[in-house]
Amino acid sequence: MLIGAIEAGGTKFICGVGTENGEILHSTSIPTTEPEETLARVFAFFAPFQIKVLGVGSFGPIELDQTNVSYGNITTTPKEKWLHFPLLRTLQAHFGVPIALDTDVNAAALGELTWGIAKGLDSCIYMTVGTGIGVGAVIEGKLLHGMSHPEMGHILVRRQKDDYFEGVCPFHRDCLEGMASGPAIEKRWGTKGSELQNKDEVWELQANYIAQALVNYALILAPKRMVLGGGVMKQAQLFPLVRNKFNAYMSGYITNLYINDLDTYIVPPGLGDFAGLQGALALAVRKLMNTDEVHI
Ligand code: ADP
Ligand code: ZN
């Protein structure tokens, strides 16, 4: 049986068809332009395949309250063409198969829990540090939702003493995303992060903000593992720095077999760049097995 998966990102849509075991058989990447053009290319990719169910991990914010009339719409995105776009309805009208929809990061968290580095656990978070910062969570085996999906990229962080950067978040300026996303690095230092590899102060500062965020997530959600992906986390030297600062901020307050070994607690994605796509596949598999009552 063929299962469809879409990681609908603000930069690119990654589409795939795969199996219930998480195997991706075919995939493609489509640049995100305006909705009609992007989706026409998405539909063209899926045309040769008879998919039974579709999983979608989408950029957001998206409305995930099934009782809301705008369920499945993109909501307050700064991408004008996608503002209020009825993503789910458009996909339903085209495919006519059951569709499971969640955020890209919730999907990635589920993917890592099902087939990746958090396999065998019943909780984890997935954080992406890229064009934006987003965090998804599976807690007690369920994807985390409340009045909406959580927006853990926009939490408030304690500013480092000598840091006067104003921040780039259009809503909050110096929230976590405003201080530590890829565009924040580029604006603060005048060069893309990928060209700053050897500048220690860049990564010390970066690790400070990420570690603060992780401490808050650990204190609030108590996930059994934290998976960190996205373009900025390609700087592998960040991992030891983040772990050290996490340890310092936590100050031994929580001890258990998960958090005591930070090398296995704060980790890169097991599924690499496919966490989002395989996560979308995992969403679809849950839908197929009728275990998607996660909104209740
Ligand atoms: P998106 O978040 O748009 O899906 P990415 O996760 O690739 O895509 O994030 C893109 C951001 O990450 C950009 O701001 C880019 O400058 C930054 N980035 C990409 N690769 C690297 C790298 N190797 N080192 C540091 N920053 C990077
Ligand atoms: Zn913000």
Side-chain angles (χ1 to χ4, degrees), residues 153-155 169-178:
H154 292 267
I155 63 167
C169 176
F171 291 90
H172 320 110
R173 299 239 74 93
D174 61 357
C175 67
L176 175 68
E177 178 172 300

Side-chain angles (χ1 to χ4, degrees), residues 111-164:
E112 289 293 341
L113 192 97
T114 312
W115 296 304
I117 195 83
K119 195 173 165 184
L121 301 177
D122 61 359
S123 66
C124 76
I125 64 164
Y126 182 95
M127 177 191 221
T128 179
V129 187
T131 306
I133 297 184
V135 188
V138 184
I139 300 295
E140 294 185 291
K142 291 187 174 183
L143 287 158
L144 190 64
H145 306 98
M147 59 173 180
S148 71
H149 52 83
E151 284 284 0
M152 292 185 267
H154 292 267
I155 63 167
L156 308 181
V157 284
R158 200 188 281 168
R159 186 178 275 275
Q160 186 167 299
K161 244 199 257 114
D162 52 353
D163 183 13
Y164 300 105

Side-chain angles (χ1 to χ4, degrees), residues 7-166:
E7 183 190 356
T11 311
K12 54 190 186 298
F13 271 49
I14 304 176
C15 305
V17 288
T19 69
E20 288 145 281
N21 307 323
E23 197 185 349
I24 303 281
L25 304 170
H26 305 276
S27 66
T28 192
S29 176
I30 293 163
T32 308
T33 56
E34 58 179 75
E36 288 71 24
E37 186 186 13
T38 311
L39 289 177
R41 296 187 62 186
V42 169
F43 297 157
F45 166 79
F46 283 105
F49 308 111
Q50 284 281 322
I51 57 168
K52 279 275 182 311
V53 59
L54 176 67
V56 183
S58 175
F59 74 100
I62 45 174
E63 180 56 63
L64 289 181
D65 178 352
Q66 297 193 24
T67 64
N68 192 307
V69 286
S70 48
Y71 173 58
N73 293 5
I74 308 273
T75 60
T76 52
T77 174
K79 291 178 161 292
E80 249 169 58
K81 295 267 173 56
W82 290 87
L83 193 61
H84 305 305
F85 181 73
L87 179 65
L88 182 62
R89 245 178 296 146
T90 308
L91 295 172
Q92 272 168 339
H94 179 82
F95 287 105
V97 298
I99 300 178
L101 173 72
D102 215 306
T103 62
D104 44 7
V105 281
N106 259 353
L110 183 64
E112 289 293 341
L113 192 97
T114 312
W115 296 304
I117 195 83
K119 195 173 165 184
L121 301 177
D122 61 359
S123 66
C124 76
I125 64 164
Y126 182 95
M127 177 191 221
T128 179
V129 187
T131 306
I133 297 184
V135 188
V138 184
I139 300 295
E140 294 185 291
K142 291 187 174 183
L143 287 158
L144 190 64
H145 306 98
M147 59 173 180
S148 71
H149 52 83
E151 284 284 0
M152 292 185 267
H154 292 267
I155 63 167
L156 308 181
V157 284
R158 200 188 281 168
R159 186 178 275 275
Q160 186 167 299
K161 244 199 257 114
D162 52 353
D163 183 13
Y164 300 105
F165 180 57
E166 70 274 22

Side-chain angles (χ1 to χ4, degrees), residues 109-287:
L110 183 64
E112 289 293 341
L113 192 97
T114 312
W115 296 304
I117 195 83
K119 195 173 165 184
L121 301 177
D122 61 359
S123 66
C124 76
I125 64 164
Y126 182 95
M127 177 191 221
T128 179
V129 187
T131 306
I133 297 184
V135 188
V138 184
I139 300 295
E140 294 185 291
K142 291 187 174 183
L143 287 158
L144 190 64
H145 306 98
M147 59 173 180
S148 71
H149 52 83
E151 284 284 0
M152 292 185 267
H154 292 267
I155 63 167
L156 308 181
V157 284
R158 200 188 281 168
R159 186 178 275 275
Q160 186 167 299
K161 244 199 257 114
D162 52 353
D163 183 13
Y164 300 105
F165 180 57
E166 70 274 22
V168 298
C169 176
F171 291 90
H172 320 110
R173 299 239 74 93
D174 61 357
C175 67
L176 175 68
E177 178 172 300
M179 297 303 267
S181 61
I185 296 175
E186 189 171 347
K187 181 137 191 234
R188 184 201 295 274
W189 302 97
T191 320
K192 278 190 188 308
S194 51
E195 271 141 50
L196 293 164
Q197 184 143 12
N198 300 320
K199 274 199 159 280
D200 293 348
E201 64 268 36
V202 173
W203 309 110
E204 286 284 341
L205 185 67
Q206 194 65 19
N208 180 12
Y209 291 126
I210 294 172
Q212 288 187 48
L214 297 188
V215 166
N216 288 327
Y217 306 148
L219 293 169
I220 295 168
L221 298 174
K224 290 178 180 165
R225 190 155 290 163
M226 296 183 163
V227 187
L228 276 53
V232 173
M233 295 313 299
K234 296 263 157 87
Q235 299 288 332
Q237 73 278 18
L238 267 175
F239 281 90
L241 293 173
V242 168
R243 291 182 191 118
N244 279 341
K245 289 186 194 294
F246 179 94
N247 207 23
Y249 280 119
M250 190 58 92
S251 292
Y253 184 61
I254 303 178
T255 66
N256 56 53
L257 72 105
Y258 302 101
I259 212 165
N260 288 355
D261 181 8
L262 289 184
D263 288 346
T264 61
Y265 189 63
I266 299 172
V267 292
L271 303 175
D273 292 336
F274 281 91
L277 186 63
Q278 279 183 275
L281 196 63
L283 281 175
V285 172
R286 280 204 168 186
K287 181 94 183 170

